[in-house]
PDB file of all heavy atoms in Angstrom:
ATOM      1  N   LYS A   1     -13.730   3.429   3.745  1.00 96.00           N
ATOM      2  CA  LYS A   1     -14.912   2.577   3.635  1.00 96.00           C
ATOM      3  C   LYS A   1     -15.331   2.404   2.173  1.00 96.00           C
ATOM      4  O   LYS A   1     -15.648   1.330   1.710  1.00 96.00           O
ATOM      5  CB  LYS A   1     -16.088   3.181   4.436  1.00 96.00           C
ATOM      6  CG  LYS A   1     -15.972   3.045   5.935  1.00 96.00           C
ATOM      7  CD  LYS A   1     -17.256   3.474   6.659  1.00 96.00           C
ATOM      8  CE  LYS A   1     -17.582   4.940   6.480  1.00 96.00           C
ATOM      9  NZ  LYS A   1     -18.779   5.332   7.239  1.00 96.00           N
ATOM     10  N   GLY A   2     -15.310   3.499   1.457  1.00 95.00           N
ATOM     11  CA  GLY A   2     -15.643   3.471   0.043  1.00 95.00           C
ATOM     12  C   GLY A   2     -14.636   2.630  -0.762  1.00 95.00           C
ATOM     13  O   GLY A   2     -15.067   1.887  -1.649  1.00 95.00           O
ATOM     14  N   TYR A   3     -13.370   2.783  -0.416  1.00 94.00           N
ATOM     15  CA  TYR A   3     -12.357   2.014  -1.149  1.00 94.00           C
ATOM     16  C   TYR A   3     -12.530   0.541  -0.907  1.00 94.00           C
ATOM     17  O   TYR A   3     -12.369  -0.258  -1.820  1.00 94.00           O
ATOM     18  CB  TYR A   3     -10.969   2.475  -0.720  1.00 94.00           C
ATOM     19  CG  TYR A   3      -9.856   1.700  -1.381  1.00 94.00           C
ATOM     20  CD1 TYR A   3      -9.465   1.997  -2.665  1.00 94.00           C
ATOM     21  CD2 TYR A   3      -9.238   0.639  -0.721  1.00 94.00           C
ATOM     22  CE1 TYR A   3      -8.466   1.270  -3.305  1.00 94.00           C
ATOM     23  CE2 TYR A   3      -8.225  -0.077  -1.352  1.00 94.00           C
ATOM     24  CZ  TYR A   3      -7.862   0.239  -2.638  1.00 94.00           C
ATOM     25  OH  TYR A   3      -6.869  -0.493  -3.245  1.00 94.00           O
ATOM     26  N   ARG A   4     -12.807   0.148   0.344  1.00 95.00           N
ATOM     27  CA  ARG A   4     -12.979  -1.278   0.592  1.00 95.00           C
ATOM     28  C   ARG A   4     -14.130  -1.880  -0.184  1.00 95.00           C
ATOM     29  O   ARG A   4     -14.030  -2.971  -0.768  1.00 95.00           O
ATOM     30  CB  ARG A   4     -13.144  -1.552   2.087  1.00 95.00           C
ATOM     31  CG  ARG A   4     -13.092  -3.055   2.394  1.00 95.00           C
ATOM     32  CD  ARG A   4     -13.690  -3.421   3.718  1.00 95.00           C
ATOM     33  NE  ARG A   4     -12.904  -2.981   4.837  1.00 95.00           N
ATOM     34  CZ  ARG A   4     -13.150  -3.363   6.109  1.00 95.00           C
ATOM     35  NH1 ARG A   4     -14.172  -4.144   6.381  1.00 95.00           N
ATOM     36  NH2 ARG A   4     -12.413  -2.913   7.085  1.00 95.00           N
ATOM     37  N   ILE A   5     -15.252  -1.164  -0.206  1.00 95.00           N
ATOM     38  CA  ILE A   5     -16.405  -1.700  -0.947  1.00 95.00           C
ATOM     39  C   ILE A   5     -16.089  -1.768  -2.423  1.00 95.00           C
ATOM     40  O   ILE A   5     -16.354  -2.783  -3.104  1.00 95.00           O
ATOM     41  CB  ILE A   5     -17.646  -0.817  -0.678  1.00 95.00           C
ATOM     42  CG1 ILE A   5     -18.047  -0.903   0.783  1.00 95.00           C
ATOM     43  CG2 ILE A   5     -18.815  -1.248  -1.575  1.00 95.00           C
ATOM     44  CD1 ILE A   5     -19.125   0.064   1.180  1.00 95.00           C
ATOM     45  N   ARG A   6     -15.552  -0.693  -2.964  1.00 94.00           N
ATOM     46  CA  ARG A   6     -15.286  -0.621  -4.413  1.00 94.00           C
ATOM     47  C   ARG A   6     -14.225  -1.648  -4.827  1.00 94.00           C
ATOM     48  O   ARG A   6     -14.380  -2.365  -5.835  1.00 94.00           O
ATOM     49  CB  ARG A   6     -14.849   0.793  -4.777  1.00 94.00           C
ATOM     50  CG  ARG A   6     -14.553   1.010  -6.234  1.00 94.00           C
ATOM     51  CD  ARG A   6     -15.787   1.048  -7.079  1.00 94.00           C
ATOM     52  NE  ARG A   6     -16.665   2.161  -6.807  1.00 94.00           N
ATOM     53  CZ  ARG A   6     -17.859   2.375  -7.409  1.00 94.00           C
ATOM     54  NH1 ARG A   6     -18.279   1.485  -8.311  1.00 94.00           N
ATOM     55  NH2 ARG A   6     -18.610   3.382  -7.068  1.00 94.00           N
ATOM     56  N   SER A   7     -13.120  -1.712  -4.084  1.00 93.00           N
ATOM     57  CA  SER A   7     -12.034  -2.548  -4.457  1.00 93.00           C
ATOM     58  C   SER A   7     -12.174  -4.012  -4.017  1.00 93.00           C
ATOM     59  O   SER A   7     -11.918  -4.907  -4.813  1.00 93.00           O
ATOM     60  CB  SER A   7     -10.725  -1.965  -3.863  1.00 93.00           C
ATOM     61  OG  SER A   7      -9.623  -2.777  -4.192  1.00 93.00           O
ATOM     62  N   ALA A   8     -12.610  -4.240  -2.786  1.00 94.00           N
ATOM     63  CA  ALA A   8     -12.673  -5.609  -2.287  1.00 94.00           C
ATOM     64  C   ALA A   8     -13.987  -6.298  -2.655  1.00 94.00           C
ATOM     65  O   ALA A   8     -13.973  -7.351  -3.255  1.00 94.00           O
ATOM     66  CB  ALA A   8     -12.506  -5.603  -0.764  1.00 94.00           C
ATOM     67  N   LEU A   9     -15.125  -5.677  -2.312  1.00 95.00           N
ATOM     68  CA  LEU A   9     -16.405  -6.358  -2.517  1.00 95.00           C
ATOM     69  C   LEU A   9     -16.841  -6.345  -3.989  1.00 95.00           C
ATOM     70  O   LEU A   9     -17.600  -7.228  -4.412  1.00 95.00           O
ATOM     71  CB  LEU A   9     -17.486  -5.730  -1.679  1.00 95.00           C
ATOM     72  CG  LEU A   9     -17.660  -6.293  -0.272  1.00 95.00           C
ATOM     73  CD1 LEU A   9     -16.436  -6.040   0.572  1.00 95.00           C
ATOM     74  CD2 LEU A   9     -18.895  -5.725   0.413  1.00 95.00           C
ATOM     75  N   LEU A  10     -16.395  -5.359  -4.763  1.00 95.00           N
ATOM     76  CA  LEU A  10     -16.811  -5.266  -6.165  1.00 95.00           C
ATOM     77  C   LEU A  10     -15.653  -5.552  -7.128  1.00 95.00           C
ATOM     78  O   LEU A  10     -15.873  -5.570  -8.346  1.00 95.00           O
ATOM     79  CB  LEU A  10     -17.385  -3.892  -6.448  1.00 95.00           C
ATOM     80  CG  LEU A  10     -18.573  -3.476  -5.593  1.00 95.00           C
ATOM     81  CD1 LEU A  10     -19.019  -2.054  -5.972  1.00 95.00           C
ATOM     82  CD2 LEU A  10     -19.716  -4.464  -5.736  1.00 95.00           C
ATOM     83  N   CYS A  11     -14.455  -5.783  -6.607  1.00 95.00           N
ATOM     84  CA  CYS A  11     -13.270  -6.148  -7.432  1.00 95.00           C
ATOM     85  C   CYS A  11     -12.988  -5.128  -8.530  1.00 95.00           C
ATOM     86  O   CYS A  11     -12.548  -5.494  -9.629  1.00 95.00           O
ATOM     87  CB  CYS A  11     -13.497  -7.524  -8.067  1.00 95.00           C
ATOM     88  SG  CYS A  11     -13.278  -8.895  -6.925  1.00 95.00           S
ATOM     89  N   GLN A  12     -13.189  -3.864  -8.264  1.00 92.00           N
ATOM     90  CA  GLN A  12     -12.926  -2.847  -9.283  1.00 92.00           C
ATOM     91  C   GLN A  12     -11.560  -2.204  -8.953  1.00 92.00           C
ATOM     92  O   GLN A  12     -11.331  -1.727  -7.849  1.00 92.00           O
ATOM     93  CB  GLN A  12     -14.030  -1.808  -9.296  1.00 92.00           C
ATOM     94  CG  GLN A  12     -15.348  -2.430  -9.749  1.00 92.00           C
ATOM     95  CD  GLN A  12     -16.509  -1.442  -9.714  1.00 92.00           C
ATOM     96  OE1 GLN A  12     -16.303  -0.270  -9.503  1.00 92.00           O
ATOM     97  NE2 GLN A  12     -17.731  -1.932  -9.942  1.00 92.00           N
ATOM     98  N   VAL A  13     -10.702  -2.180  -9.958  1.00 89.00           N
ATOM     99  CA  VAL A  13      -9.347  -1.610  -9.789  1.00 89.00           C
ATOM    100  C   VAL A  13      -9.399  -0.113  -9.928  1.00 89.00           C
ATOM    101  O   VAL A  13      -9.926   0.421 -10.891  1.00 89.00           O
ATOM    102  CB  VAL A  13      -8.388  -2.228 -10.836  1.00 89.00           C
ATOM    103  CG1 VAL A  13      -6.988  -1.651 -10.709  1.00 89.00           C
ATOM    104  CG2 VAL A  13      -8.347  -3.756 -10.702  1.00 89.00           C
ATOM    105  N   LEU A  14      -8.863   0.585  -8.940  1.00 86.00           N
ATOM    106  CA  LEU A  14      -8.859   2.032  -8.949  1.00 86.00           C
ATOM    107  C   LEU A  14      -7.442   2.497  -9.230  1.00 86.00           C
ATOM    108  O   LEU A  14      -6.457   1.910  -8.838  1.00 86.00           O
ATOM    109  CB  LEU A  14      -9.312   2.547  -7.587  1.00 86.00           C
ATOM    110  CG  LEU A  14     -10.755   2.234  -7.187  1.00 86.00           C
ATOM    111  CD1 LEU A  14     -11.025   2.652  -5.775  1.00 86.00           C
ATOM    112  CD2 LEU A  14     -11.705   2.929  -8.132  1.00 86.00           C
ATOM    113  N   PRO A  15      -7.300   3.640  -9.929  1.00 82.00           N
ATOM    114  CA  PRO A  15      -5.973   4.181 -10.188  1.00 82.00           C
ATOM    115  C   PRO A  15      -5.330   4.652  -8.881  1.00 82.00           C
ATOM    116  O   PRO A  15      -6.021   5.015  -7.929  1.00 82.00           O
ATOM    117  CB  PRO A  15      -6.246   5.368 -11.155  1.00 82.00           C
ATOM    118  CG  PRO A  15      -7.668   5.748 -10.847  1.00 82.00           C
ATOM    119  CD  PRO A  15      -8.366   4.459 -10.495  1.00 82.00           C
ATOM    120  N   PRO A  16      -3.993   4.670  -8.814  1.00 81.00           N
ATOM    121  CA  PRO A  16      -3.325   5.124  -7.632  1.00 81.00           C
ATOM    122  C   PRO A  16      -3.604   6.620  -7.392  1.00 81.00           C
ATOM    123  O   PRO A  16      -3.842   7.358  -8.346  1.00 81.00           O
ATOM    124  CB  PRO A  16      -1.842   4.901  -7.896  1.00 81.00           C
ATOM    125  CG  PRO A  16      -1.738   4.850  -9.392  1.00 81.00           C
ATOM    126  CD  PRO A  16      -3.023   4.276  -9.858  1.00 81.00           C
ATOM    127  N   PRO A  17      -3.600   7.085  -6.140  1.00 76.00           N
ATOM    128  CA  PRO A  17      -3.835   8.509  -5.880  1.00 76.00           C
ATOM    129  C   PRO A  17      -2.717   9.365  -6.443  1.00 76.00           C
ATOM    130  O   PRO A  17      -1.573   8.897  -6.544  1.00 76.00           O
ATOM    131  CB  PRO A  17      -3.889   8.569  -4.369  1.00 76.00           C
ATOM    132  CG  PRO A  17      -3.119   7.388  -3.904  1.00 76.00           C
ATOM    133  CD  PRO A  17      -3.345   6.326  -4.917  1.00 76.00           C
ATOM    134  N   PRO A  18      -3.028  10.581  -6.837  1.00 70.00           N
ATOM    135  CA  PRO A  18      -1.983  11.460  -7.328  1.00 70.00           C
ATOM    136  C   PRO A  18      -0.971  11.786  -6.237  1.00 70.00           C
ATOM    137  O   PRO A  18      -1.278  11.698  -5.043  1.00 70.00           O
ATOM    138  CB  PRO A  18      -2.751  12.714  -7.779  1.00 70.00           C
ATOM    139  CG  PRO A  18      -4.030  12.668  -7.034  1.00 70.00           C
ATOM    140  CD  PRO A  18      -4.360  11.198  -6.850  1.00 70.00           C
ATOM    141  N   ALA A  19       0.227  12.162  -6.661  1.00 66.00           N
ATOM    142  CA  ALA A  19       1.298  12.391  -5.697  1.00 66.00           C
ATOM    143  C   ALA A  19       0.944  13.489  -4.681  1.00 66.00           C
ATOM    144  O   ALA A  19       1.307  13.376  -3.525  1.00 66.00           O
ATOM    145  CB  ALA A  19       2.577  12.770  -6.442  1.00 66.00           C
ATOM    146  N   ASP A  20       0.196  14.492  -5.129  1.00 62.00           N
ATOM    147  CA  ASP A  20      -0.097  15.599  -4.198  1.00 62.00           C
ATOM    148  C   ASP A  20      -1.156  15.246  -3.188  1.00 62.00           C
ATOM    149  O   ASP A  20      -1.503  16.078  -2.310  1.00 62.00           O
ATOM    150  CB  ASP A  20      -0.484  16.862  -4.975  1.00 62.00           C
ATOM    151  CG  ASP A  20      -1.709  16.623  -5.847  1.00 62.00           C
ATOM    152  OD1 ASP A  20      -2.167  15.466  -5.930  1.00 62.00           O
ATOM    153  OD2 ASP A  20      -2.224  17.583  -6.429  1.00 62.00           O
ATOM    154  N   ALA A  21      -1.720  14.053  -3.312  1.00 62.00           N
ATOM    155  CA  ALA A  21      -2.768  13.647  -2.365  1.00 62.00           C
ATOM    156  C   ALA A  21      -2.243  12.695  -1.277  1.00 62.00           C
ATOM    157  O   ALA A  21      -2.941  12.386  -0.339  1.00 62.00           O
ATOM    158  CB  ALA A  21      -3.909  12.957  -3.081  1.00 62.00           C
ATOM    159  N   MET A  22      -1.017  12.247  -1.423  1.00 53.00           N
ATOM    160  CA  MET A  22      -0.495  11.219  -0.528  1.00 53.00           C
ATOM    161  C   MET A  22      -0.426  11.668   0.932  1.00 53.00           C
ATOM    162  O   MET A  22      -0.553  10.905   1.850  1.00 53.00           O
ATOM    163  CB  MET A  22       0.888  10.739  -0.973  1.00 53.00           C
ATOM    164  CG  MET A  22       0.873  10.068  -2.353  1.00 53.00           C
ATOM    165  SD  MET A  22      -0.221   8.625  -2.402  1.00 53.00           S
ATOM    166  CE  MET A  22       0.704   7.511  -1.374  1.00 53.00           C
ATOM    167  N   ASN A  23      -0.184  12.973   1.132  1.00 57.00           N
ATOM    168  CA  ASN A  23      -0.019  13.477   2.498  1.00 57.00           C
ATOM    169  C   ASN A  23      -1.273  14.183   3.026  1.00 57.00           C
ATOM    170  O   ASN A  23      -1.231  14.781   4.095  1.00 57.00           O
ATOM    171  CB  ASN A  23       1.175  14.450   2.572  1.00 57.00           C
ATOM    172  CG  ASN A  23       2.491  13.744   2.293  1.00 57.00           C
ATOM    173  OD1 ASN A  23       2.675  12.619   2.719  1.00 57.00           O
ATOM    174  ND2 ASN A  23       3.374  14.404   1.563  1.00 57.00           N
ATOM    175  N   ALA A  24      -2.353  14.120   2.274  1.00 62.00           N
ATOM    176  CA  ALA A  24      -3.582  14.784   2.707  1.00 62.00           C
ATOM    177  C   ALA A  24      -4.146  14.065   3.907  1.00 62.00           C
ATOM    178  O   ALA A  24      -4.167  12.823   3.974  1.00 62.00           O
ATOM    179  CB  ALA A  24      -4.598  14.797   1.581  1.00 62.00           C
ATOM    180  N   VAL A  25      -4.629  14.799   4.918  1.00 68.00           N
ATOM    181  CA  VAL A  25      -5.162  14.239   6.153  1.00 68.00           C
ATOM    182  C   VAL A  25      -6.581  14.722   6.368  1.00 68.00           C
ATOM    183  O   VAL A  25      -6.859  15.919   6.243  1.00 68.00           O
ATOM    184  CB  VAL A  25      -4.285  14.649   7.352  1.00 68.00           C
ATOM    185  CG1 VAL A  25      -4.901  14.105   8.648  1.00 68.00           C
ATOM    186  CG2 VAL A  25      -2.861  14.143   7.167  1.00 68.00           C
ATOM    187  N   VAL A  26      -7.474  13.792   6.641  1.00 77.00           N
ATOM    188  CA  VAL A  26      -8.860  14.144   7.020  1.00 77.00           C
ATOM    189  C   VAL A  26      -8.824  14.362   8.525  1.00 77.00           C
ATOM    190  O   VAL A  26      -8.798  13.403   9.305  1.00 77.00           O
ATOM    191  CB  VAL A  26      -9.832  13.027   6.614  1.00 77.00           C
ATOM    192  CG1 VAL A  26     -11.245  13.413   7.040  1.00 77.00           C
ATOM    193  CG2 VAL A  26      -9.767  12.758   5.119  1.00 77.00           C
ATOM    194  N   ALA A  27      -8.841  15.606   8.926  1.00 80.00           N
ATOM    195  CA  ALA A  27      -8.747  15.972  10.342  1.00 80.00           C
ATOM    196  C   ALA A  27     -10.107  16.200  10.939  1.00 80.00           C
ATOM    197  O   ALA A  27     -11.090  16.547  10.244  1.00 80.00           O
ATOM    198  CB  ALA A  27      -7.866  17.199  10.505  1.00 80.00           C
TER     199      ALA A  27
END
């Protein structure tokens, strides 16, 4: 939700996530 607002509605470019975060799961 935060990414959509920040990136889509506000057009702010965010850096890519670090490699160690790619497999993180919010359970």
Side-chain angles (χ1 to χ4, degrees):
K1 287 190 294 183
Y3 178 79
R4 189 200 289 190
I5 295 172
R6 180 73 65 183
S7 178
L9 271 65
L10 303 179
C11 285
Q12 295 177 7
V13 178
L14 297 172
D20 60 353
M22 296 302 290
N23 295 322
V25 176
V26 179

